């Protein structure tokens, strides 16, 4: 089976344009050729008709001596054959014949036309009398018909034919039109082919990176608009998919964190619950124990209850933060007032621990945020410094005031944090010294709460060990957070 070859759009368009152009040119040439030929025939016939008319006038004014009368007339063409015919079709004179034939001439086309309309012609007919071919032109008077004839030789044929130089000129013009049409259709065809290729790629959903600009015309402008629209749509789809993947990742991360939080809470709850259970079982089994021993067990139960309460409060806070900033109320919050309240409420603990609090904070530091969460940031960092630093000074400072945010720091001059742990201290339930942390009553969520609260207020936090000793927490809070 032969393969079916499909022509390109450019080839089909060029063939169509070429066909139409050549058809128009051929029609025009044919019409012009026919028109010019008819003009030459009419011109020759007009000359002969004029001669015939003059000859008729001469015959009407002279005698019937046809030979003398014709001889007096100037012939318009050489070798001109002149005949005089009666209206009944009898040939009465012919300057090329010695003996007149008796054949009736009414059957001749030029004679018929002359009788009907006064004049007639036959472009080409063979004469049996002279055995030559002539161009005949006949004119009728009242009594006779004068017919003049020109031998149809090669020279006459060339005279009657149209000028072939016009034909060659039109062929050159047609060839030029074809060349121009080829380049014009090639330009359009290339644009259509490129646009078709682009449409196929778009239908298959292929990524289009760099597309060469289309020509600077109406079709090229439309094509460029289509490409730009598809590129924007493609970019929108990519961004949508990216956001979808991000949302899915966040959802999976929240699920993982909640699962991890549940497992950690379950693990953290076991110790205080088990401790309270042991204390209560001992009291129930030894009802007659000394009062001092009984109060010791009761104090242990109370300490574990307090630890459970703190753990539940911290879990509630961090869960609320995980729900997102949209569910958190915001209002103008004075950082100076929060720090003053914290200093006041921790005064006794600072005194017992032998720690001095230094505050380097202006009075007009205000952000738009949630007061409870901002309070938890500073309170947890200060509590962390009092409980674990082992130092003697805690410093709260405003480090930088930019147009969009504040930068704060909480530092101590204690033992610092081992470098291998400093990147993980903000993880939930992560403890450097698990035994010491539980003895002090920490839940393992304090720094995780700090990190989440800072992020909800458009900031970030990090910790560094100071060269002089101790650890320094540096964090930012947006002035127009959430």
């Amino acid at each position: 089976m032969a393969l079916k070859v499909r022509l390109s759009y450019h080839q089909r368009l060029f063939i169509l344009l070429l066909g139409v152009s050549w058809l128009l040119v051929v029609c025009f040439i044919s019409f012009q050729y026919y028109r010019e030929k008819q003009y030459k025939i009419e011109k020759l016939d007009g000359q002969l008709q004029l001669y015939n008319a003059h000859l008729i006038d001469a015959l009407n004014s002279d005698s019937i001596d046809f030979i003398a009368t014709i001889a007096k007339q100037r012939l318009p063409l050489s070798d001109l054959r002149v005949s005089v015919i009666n209206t009944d079709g009898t040939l009465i004179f012919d300057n090329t014949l010695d003996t007149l034939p008796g054949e009736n001439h009414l059957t001749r086309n030029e004679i018929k036309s002359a009788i009907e309309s006064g004049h007639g012609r036959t472009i080409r007919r063979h004469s049996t009398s002279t055995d030559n071919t002539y161009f005949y032109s006949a004119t009728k008077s009242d009594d006779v018909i004068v017919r003049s004839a020109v031998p149809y030789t090669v020279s006459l044929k060339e005279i009657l034919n149209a000028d072939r130089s016009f034909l060659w000129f039109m062929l050159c013009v047609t060839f030029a039109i074809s060349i121009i049409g080829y380049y014009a259709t090639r330009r359009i065809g290339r644009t259509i082919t490129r646009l078709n290729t682009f449409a196929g790629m778009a239908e298959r959903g292929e990524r289009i990176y760099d597309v060469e600009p289309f020509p600077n015309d109406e079709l090229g402008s439309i094509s460029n608009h289509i490409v730009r629209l598809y590129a924007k749509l493609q970019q929108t789809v990519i961004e949508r998919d990216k956001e979808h993947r991000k949302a899915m990742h966040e959802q999976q991360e929240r699920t993982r964190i909640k699962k991890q939080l549940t497992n950690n809470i379950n693990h953290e709850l076991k110790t205080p619950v088990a401790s309270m259970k042991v204390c209560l079982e001992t009291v129930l089994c030894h009802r007659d124990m000394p009062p001092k021993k009984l109060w010791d067990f009761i104090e242990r139960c109370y300490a574990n209850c307090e630890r459970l309460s703190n753990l539940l409060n911290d879990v509630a806070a961090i869960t609320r933060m995980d729900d997102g900033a949209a569910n958190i109320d915001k209002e103008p919050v004075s950082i100076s007032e929060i720090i003053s309240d914290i200093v006041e409420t921790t005064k006794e603990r600072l005194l017992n621990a032998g720690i001095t609090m230094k505050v380097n904070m202006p009075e007009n530091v205000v952000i738009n945020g949630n007061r409870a969460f901002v309070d938890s940031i500073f309170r947890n960092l200060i509590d962390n410094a009092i409980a674990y630093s082992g130092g003697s000074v805690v410093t709260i400072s405003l480090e930088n005031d930019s147009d969009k945010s504040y930068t704060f720091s909480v530092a101590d001059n204690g033992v610092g944090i081992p470098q291998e742990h400093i990147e993980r201290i903000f993880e939930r339930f992560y403890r450097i010294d698990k035994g010491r942390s539980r003895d002090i009553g920490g839940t393992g969520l304090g720094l995780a709460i700090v990190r989440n609260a800072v992020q909800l207020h458009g900031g970030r936090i990090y910790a560094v060990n100071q060269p002089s000793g101790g650890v320094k927490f540096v964090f930012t809070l947006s002035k127009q957070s959430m």
Side-chain angles (χ1 to χ4, degrees), residues 350-365:
L350 291 169
L351 184 61
N352 293 335
I355 296 176
T356 301
M357 179 80 72
K358 292 183 179 181
V359 180
N360 300 320
M361 189 77 58
E363 293 293 332
N364 59 343
V365 180

Side-chain angles (χ1 to χ4, degrees), residues 22 47 144 215 293 358 399:
W22 277 88
Q47 289 178 326
V144 296
K293 196 70 173 177
K358 292 183 179 181
E399 302 237 337

Side-chain angles (χ1 to χ4, degrees), residues 397-413:
S397 303
L398 174 63
E399 302 237 337
N400 187 28
D401 179 4
S402 67
D403 293 337
K404 295 183 178 180
S405 64
Y406 293 110
T407 302
F408 302 96
S409 68
V410 177
D412 61 68
N413 62 347

Side-chain angles (χ1 to χ4, degrees), residues 89-336:
T90 304
L91 179 65
I92 59 176
F93 175 79
D94 191 311
N95 66 343
T96 61
L97 298 176
D98 295 330
T99 303
L100 298 177
E103 183 180 359
N104 192 293
H105 284 64
L106 292 180
T107 58
R108 307 292 193 270
N109 290 333
E110 68 275 8
I111 303 300
K112 286 182 181 180
S113 298
I115 293 174
E116 292 175 358
S117 61
H119 58 82
R121 68 167 178 261
T122 298
I123 296 174
R124 184 176 182 180
R125 192 181 75 245
H126 183 263
S127 173
T128 58
S129 302
T130 62
D131 197 27
N132 288 324
T133 302
Y134 293 94
F135 178 95
Y136 294 96
S137 178
T139 305
K140 180 180 177 298
S141 66
D142 294 336
D143 301 326
V144 296
I145 299 170
V146 176
R147 183 184 68 180
S148 56
V150 180
Y152 204 97
T153 59
V154 174
S155 60
L156 179 61
K157 184 178 180 180
E158 291 178 352
I159 291 173
L160 294 181
N161 283 336
D163 187 4
R164 294 184 181 274
S165 61
F166 172 77
L167 176 63
W168 290 111
F169 172 75
M170 291 303 300
L171 288 176
C172 292
V173 170
T174 305
F175 183 71
I177 292 175
S178 301
I179 294 176
I180 295 172
Y182 172 79
Y183 285 103
T185 54
R186 185 178 70 168
R187 181 185 178 92
I188 297 175
R190 283 180 175 178
T191 301
I192 295 296
T193 300
R194 287 181 56 199
L195 192 59
N196 182 56
T197 303
F198 167 78
M201 295 174 65
E203 183 180 13
R204 294 189 297 270
E206 297 181 13
R207 181 76 185 274
I208 297 176
Y209 296 95
D210 295 323
V211 178
E212 180 184 353
F214 285 86
N216 187 22
D217 52 26
E218 287 78 3
L219 183 59
S221 178
I222 293 172
S223 303
N224 285 325
H225 284 310
I226 293 174
V227 171
R228 284 194 292 268
L229 286 173
Y230 180 76
K232 289 181 180 179
L233 176 62
Q234 202 173 47
Q235 187 62 34
T236 302
V237 172
I238 292 173
E239 291 177 357
R240 181 204 64 187
D241 294 342
K242 183 178 179 181
E243 290 296 325
H244 178 70
R245 289 192 297 269
K246 182 179 178 181
M248 290 296 295
H249 175 73
E250 290 177 353
Q251 181 64 33
Q252 293 173 355
E253 187 65 17
R254 281 196 295 266
T255 302
R256 184 191 67 80
I257 290 174
K258 286 183 178 181
K259 184 176 180 180
Q260 183 185 34
L261 180 62
T262 301
N263 293 335
N264 290 335
I265 292 172
N266 180 56
H267 177 74
E268 292 294 327
L269 288 174
K270 286 182 179 179
T271 301
V273 170
S275 179
M276 287 190 295
K277 183 178 179 181
V278 169
C279 291
L280 293 174
E281 285 179 350
T282 303
V283 172
L284 290 174
C285 293
H286 301 83
R287 297 175 182 268
D288 56 348
M289 68 173 58
K292 183 178 179 181
K293 196 70 173 177
L294 178 62
W295 281 108
D296 183 49
F297 282 114
I298 292 174
E299 287 176 356
R300 289 185 187 180
C301 286
Y302 179 78
N304 282 289
C305 284
E306 189 69 22
R307 181 179 172 188
L308 283 174
S309 178
N310 292 335
L311 177 62
L312 293 175
N313 289 335
D314 287 348
V315 169
I318 205 165
T319 302
R320 188 182 174 197
M321 293 179 189
D322 287 340
D323 289 338
N327 299 322
I328 299 174
D329 296 330
K330 58 183 178 179
E331 60 181 349
V333 177
S334 173
I335 304 298
S336 305

Side-chain angles (χ1 to χ4, degrees), residues 435-449:
R436 182 166 180 261
S437 179
R438 286 196 177 95
D439 291 340
I440 295 174
T443 63
L445 294 173
L447 292 180
I449 291 174

Side-chain angles (χ1 to χ4, degrees), residues 363-384:
E363 293 293 332
N364 59 343
V365 180
V366 178
I367 69 167
N368 189 39
N370 183 273
R371 183 179 180 85
F373 287 150
V374 174
D375 181 87
S376 68
I377 296 171
F378 289 95
R379 191 174 296 275
N380 276 292
L381 290 176
I382 293 171
D383 288 346
N384 190 76

Side-chain angles (χ1 to χ4, degrees), residues 339-359 381-387 389 391-396:
I339 294 176
S340 296
D341 292 342
I342 295 174
V343 171
E344 184 65 29
T345 56
T346 58
K347 185 186 300 183
E348 187 175 348
R349 289 182 60 200
L350 291 169
L351 184 61
N352 293 335
I355 296 176
T356 301
M357 179 80 72
K358 292 183 179 181
V359 180
L381 290 176
I382 293 171
D383 288 346
N384 190 76
I386 295 172
S389 70
S392 60
V393 178
V394 176
T395 305
I396 306 173

